[in-house]
Amino acid sequence: MLELSISELRVIVLMEARAKPRLRNVDGLWRKPVLGRRGATPRPGSITEFIRERGLLPPAEIDHIIETAPTELIAFQAAQAVLPLEERTPLGHWLENFNRAATALVQ
Protein backbone atom coordinates (compact mmCIF):
# COMPACT_ATOMS: atom_id res chain seq x y z
CA MET A 1 0.00 0.00 0.00
CA LEU A 2 2.78 2.41 0.91
CA GLU A 3 4.41 2.03 -2.52
CA LEU A 4 1.32 3.08 -4.50
CA SER A 5 1.36 6.30 -6.52
CA ILE A 6 -0.72 9.34 -5.61
CA SER A 7 -3.07 8.65 -8.53
CA GLU A 8 -3.55 5.04 -7.38
CA LEU A 9 -4.33 6.21 -3.84
CA ARG A 10 -6.88 8.66 -5.23
CA VAL A 11 -8.59 5.90 -7.19
CA ILE A 12 -8.82 3.77 -4.03
CA VAL A 13 -10.47 6.65 -2.16
CA LEU A 14 -12.82 7.14 -5.12
CA MET A 15 -13.69 3.42 -5.29
CA GLU A 16 -14.50 3.24 -1.59
CA ALA A 17 -16.52 6.47 -1.71
CA ARG A 18 -18.46 5.19 -4.73
CA ALA A 19 -19.18 1.85 -3.03
CA LYS A 20 -19.91 3.17 0.47
CA PRO A 21 -23.68 3.75 0.04
CA ARG A 22 -24.10 0.07 -0.85
CA LEU A 23 -21.81 -1.45 1.79
CA ARG A 24 -23.68 -3.32 4.50
CA ASN A 25 -21.35 -5.95 5.95
CA VAL A 26 -17.92 -4.42 5.30
CA ASP A 27 -16.24 -1.10 6.07
CA GLY A 28 -14.33 -0.74 2.80
CA LEU A 29 -12.10 -2.62 0.41
CA TRP A 30 -10.34 -4.33 3.32
CA ARG A 31 -13.72 -5.57 4.54
CA LYS A 32 -13.38 -5.36 8.34
CA PRO A 33 -10.77 -3.91 10.68
CA VAL A 34 -7.90 -6.13 11.77
CA LEU A 35 -7.33 -5.69 15.47
CA GLY A 36 -3.75 -6.90 15.59
CA ARG A 37 -4.36 -10.19 17.39
CA ARG A 38 -2.32 -13.30 16.68
CA GLY A 39 0.45 -11.30 15.06
CA ALA A 40 -1.77 -9.43 12.60
CA THR A 41 -0.92 -5.80 11.90
CA PRO A 42 -3.79 -3.55 13.08
CA ARG A 43 -5.56 -1.67 10.32
CA PRO A 44 -8.97 -0.11 9.67
CA GLY A 45 -11.48 -1.86 7.42
CA SER A 46 -11.40 1.08 5.04
CA ILE A 47 -8.28 1.68 2.97
CA THR A 48 -9.33 5.34 2.85
CA GLU A 49 -8.94 5.54 6.62
CA PHE A 50 -5.52 3.86 6.34
CA ILE A 51 -4.51 6.45 3.73
CA ARG A 52 -5.79 9.23 5.99
CA GLU A 53 -4.09 7.85 9.14
CA ARG A 54 -0.74 7.42 7.39
CA GLY A 55 -0.90 10.85 5.73
CA LEU A 56 -0.54 9.34 2.26
CA LEU A 57 -2.93 11.99 0.86
CA PRO A 58 -3.83 15.34 2.42
CA PRO A 59 -7.06 15.15 4.48
CA ALA A 60 -8.63 17.98 2.44
CA GLU A 61 -8.01 16.05 -0.78
CA ILE A 62 -9.54 12.88 0.65
CA ASP A 63 -12.59 14.84 1.81
CA HIS A 64 -12.93 16.53 -1.59
CA ILE A 65 -12.80 13.20 -3.43
CA ILE A 66 -15.40 11.68 -1.12
CA GLU A 67 -17.72 14.69 -1.48
CA THR A 68 -17.50 15.29 -5.23
CA ALA A 69 -15.98 12.49 -7.27
CA PRO A 70 -18.58 9.72 -6.83
CA THR A 71 -21.43 11.85 -8.20
CA GLU A 72 -19.24 13.08 -11.06
CA LEU A 73 -18.31 9.48 -11.90
CA ILE A 74 -21.97 8.40 -11.80
CA ALA A 75 -22.90 11.25 -14.16
CA PHE A 76 -20.07 10.29 -16.54
CA GLN A 77 -21.13 6.65 -16.53
CA ALA A 78 -24.78 7.55 -17.13
CA ALA A 79 -23.88 9.80 -20.05
CA GLN A 80 -21.69 7.10 -21.60
CA ALA A 81 -24.31 4.38 -21.16
CA VAL A 82 -26.67 6.00 -23.68
CA LEU A 83 -23.99 6.20 -26.38
CA PRO A 84 -23.21 3.41 -28.83
CA LEU A 85 -20.21 1.42 -27.64
CA GLU A 86 -17.87 2.73 -30.34
CA GLU A 87 -18.65 6.36 -29.37
CA ARG A 88 -18.05 6.01 -25.62
CA THR A 89 -15.18 7.81 -23.94
CA PRO A 90 -12.93 5.35 -22.13
CA LEU A 91 -13.07 5.52 -18.33
CA GLY A 92 -9.32 6.09 -18.40
CA HIS A 93 -9.94 9.55 -19.87
CA TRP A 94 -12.25 10.40 -16.98
CA LEU A 95 -9.61 9.16 -14.52
CA GLU A 96 -6.94 11.31 -16.20
CA ASN A 97 -9.16 14.37 -15.77
CA PHE A 98 -9.94 13.31 -12.19
CA ASN A 99 -6.23 13.12 -11.34
CA ARG A 100 -5.44 16.36 -13.16
CA ALA A 101 -8.16 18.18 -11.18
CA ALA A 102 -7.03 16.59 -7.90
CA THR A 103 -3.43 17.62 -8.53
CA ALA A 104 -4.50 21.19 -9.29
CA LEU A 105 -6.55 21.27 -6.09
CA VAL A 106 -3.55 20.30 -3.95
CA GLN A 107 -1.06 22.71 -5.56
Side-chain angles (χ1 to χ4, degrees), residues 20-85:
K20 189 162 184 78
R22 295 174 303 287
L23 297 179
R24 299 290 176 255
N25 300 319
V26 297
D27 295 339
L29 294 175
W30 271 338
R31 301 171 50 98
K32 295 273 184 192
V34 171
L35 302 176
R37 290 185 227 152
R38 297 186 200 150
T41 302
R43 67 167 195 234
S46 160
I47 298 176
T48 298
E49 286 309 308
F50 178 86
I51 291 168
R52 187 184 300 275
E53 289 171 5
R54 295 290 177 102
L56 301 177
L57 288 175
E61 182 176 359
I62 293 170
D63 294 339
H64 182 74
I65 291 170
I66 291 169
E67 292 168 12
T68 62
T71 54
E72 292 171 4
L73 177 56
I74 291 167
F76 170 81
Q77 291 171 319
Q80 296 304 308
V82 299
L83 297 174
L85 201 52

Side-chain angles (χ1 to χ4, degrees), residues 82-95:
V82 299
L83 297 174
L85 201 52
E86 61 277 358
E87 293 179 25
R88 293 181 186 174
T89 302
L91 181 59
H93 290 204
W94 185 88
L95 287 171

